[in-house]
Amino acid sequence: MKKKRCKIVFLGIAVLLAGVLAFAVYNKPEKQQIVARINGMDVSADELNLFLKSEIDSTDVALKELTPYKIIQKELKDLGLIEDFSYPKLIEEMQAENENRRRKKENGEVIYGPVEYTPKTYYEQRQEEYRKLWEQERKQVATDEELRELYDSHTDWFVQFGTTVLECIIIPSDEMTKEEAVLAVDGVKRRMGEGSSLKEATVTEGLEAYLQQRTFTGADLSSEMVTMYPEIEDNIYNLAVGSWSKVIENEGYEWIFLYCESREETKRQTFEESREALEAYWEEEYLENLLQKLSDEAEVEILKPTTH
């Protein structure tokens, strides 16, 4: 009787082991086909396909786009900040995350981001996380000399536009021809040269109804009313005080004459006031240039397809 019980126990263990082995084989990660290596980091066919936008895309172009990602993965791996990157493992994580999001949706819980990731979107999100880690490790602090050189070489940065006051004579083209409008405004100019104010001169020449004053500030310079008219924009910036613009033709609808009444010169922030923005720009440029340099120097090897 005792021997019979032992046989039953051994049989049960054998069945259990067979089940465990079968489970292990069934859940064994699918082998990945390795088609390239970048700085020693494997590139699987599925991973490369994420960067092939169509069937006619060049593998070289896709590998070039993939290279910065592999450089960052390699450096983080060498620093011990991530495990060896595996595309099949990434897909397993994505599937688990999608399942978690599906359950949350069914339970009415709040989901941030997409309801379901695609391999491409999940890959990009993970690489963004890797990029932040890499930047923390690779960041550099600019010297005062480097920041000063950056500030001095971009004189149009950190400029605060003052104000420009323009007197505008706007004459509809259905009331005067261009030649008549120019002749009338020439009369205004002549009377001002004789000592009349602009307003007095326009009254005398019968142009008072066409005169309007506009004050332009820095905020106005980005509005469509300015950017749509390059000639007006140029005069706002450059017309000297006491000077007239040439006649501006508004698509044949009206004739515009600008007179600069006054101008408050633009002011530029000091170096110290601009320091924080300069540091942020310098660091971003430094990291971009470094990653580009490492990408250009990367060892890219295209392989005959193998499975790992």
Side-chain angles (χ1 to χ4, degrees), residues 39-299:
N39 282 5
M41 295 290 288
D42 289 344
V43 177
S44 70
D46 288 342
E47 184 178 7
L48 182 64
N49 284 338
L50 294 180
F51 295 86
L52 291 170
K53 299 178 177 63
S54 71
E55 293 181 358
I56 62 173
D57 274 357
S58 165
T59 298
D60 291 339
V61 172
L63 284 170
K64 185 175 182 180
E65 187 177 348
L66 181 57
T67 294
Y69 295 115
K70 306 309 286 187
I71 286 171
I72 290 175
Q73 291 168 15
K74 177 71 163 58
E75 290 199 8
L76 294 181
K77 175 193 168 187
D78 291 345
L79 291 168
L81 295 176
I82 65 170
E83 297 178 6
D84 195 3
F85 180 84
S86 164
Y87 184 75
K89 182 180 178 182
L90 181 81
I91 296 303
E92 288 179 7
E93 292 175 358
M94 180 199 74
Q95 291 168 343
E97 177 63 25
N98 284 342
E99 177 61 22
N100 181 48
R101 287 171 175 267
R102 184 188 64 77
R103 287 196 300 269
K104 284 186 175 182
K105 183 181 179 182
E106 289 176 352
N107 295 331
E109 298 178 49
V110 177
I111 301 174
Y112 297 99
V115 175
E116 182 177 24
Y117 285 102
T118 66
K120 179 69 170 177
T121 56
Y122 195 75
Y123 188 97
E124 289 176 343
Q125 176 176 293
R126 179 54 55 86
Q127 302 316 310
E128 285 179 11
E129 295 168 1
Y130 288 171
R131 173 71 183 249
K132 289 176 183 178
L133 283 174
W134 179 80
E135 288 180 350
Q136 286 298 315
E137 294 298 319
R138 280 290 201 165
K139 68 179 180 181
Q140 294 285 331
V141 177
T143 64
D144 276 0
E145 290 76 15
E146 288 168 327
L147 293 179
R148 173 64 72 176
E149 181 182 357
L150 186 62
Y151 179 81
D152 290 342
S153 62
H154 293 84
T155 55
D156 57 332
W157 289 7
F158 313 114
V159 173
Q160 299 171 327
F161 186 80
T163 59
T164 298
V165 179
L166 297 179
E167 300 286 354
C168 312
I169 297 178
I170 304 174
I171 303 173
S173 59
D174 60 354
E175 297 186 18
M176 292 188 195
T177 65
K178 179 180 177 181
E179 292 72 20
E180 290 172 337
V182 169
L183 188 62
V185 172
D186 282 346
V188 172
K189 295 176 184 178
R190 184 178 63 256
R191 293 187 181 280
M192 290 178 68
E194 295 171 352
S196 297
S197 66
L198 175 60
K199 188 171 183 179
E200 292 170 342
T202 55
V203 170
T204 304
E205 294 296 323
L207 298 178
E208 183 182 12
Y210 305 116
L211 179 65
Q212 54 182 274
Q213 186 182 89
R214 284 292 309 275
T215 300
F216 295 91
T217 65
D220 296 317
L221 298 181
S222 59
S223 71
E224 288 188 359
M225 292 301 295
V226 171
T227 58
M228 285 176 61
Y229 302 99
E231 288 182 275
I232 294 177
E233 184 178 22
D234 180 65
N235 279 288
I236 292 172
Y237 278 109
N238 301 312
L239 189 61
V241 175
S243 298
W244 286 90
S245 71
K246 296 179 180 178
V247 59
I248 300 171
E249 301 182 26
N250 182 14
E251 299 181 352
Y253 294 112
E254 54 195 11
W255 320 115
I256 302 173
F257 303 84
L258 304 177
Y259 175 79
C260 186
E261 186 71 40
S262 64
R263 180 183 295 280
E264 179 185 322
E265 290 303 321
T266 58
K267 296 178 181 178
R268 191 184 187 204
Q269 289 181 191
T270 65
F271 171 71
E272 287 302 325
E273 290 172 334
S274 309
R275 177 183 287 276
E276 185 175 342
L278 287 166
E279 288 173 341
Y281 179 86
W282 186 93
E283 183 176 326
E284 182 179 348
E285 284 294 292
Y286 169 79
L287 291 170
E288 284 295 334
N289 291 336
L290 173 61
L291 190 55
Q292 184 61 57
K293 178 176 181 293
L294 294 173
S295 297
D296 293 341
E297 296 172 351
E299 295 182 6

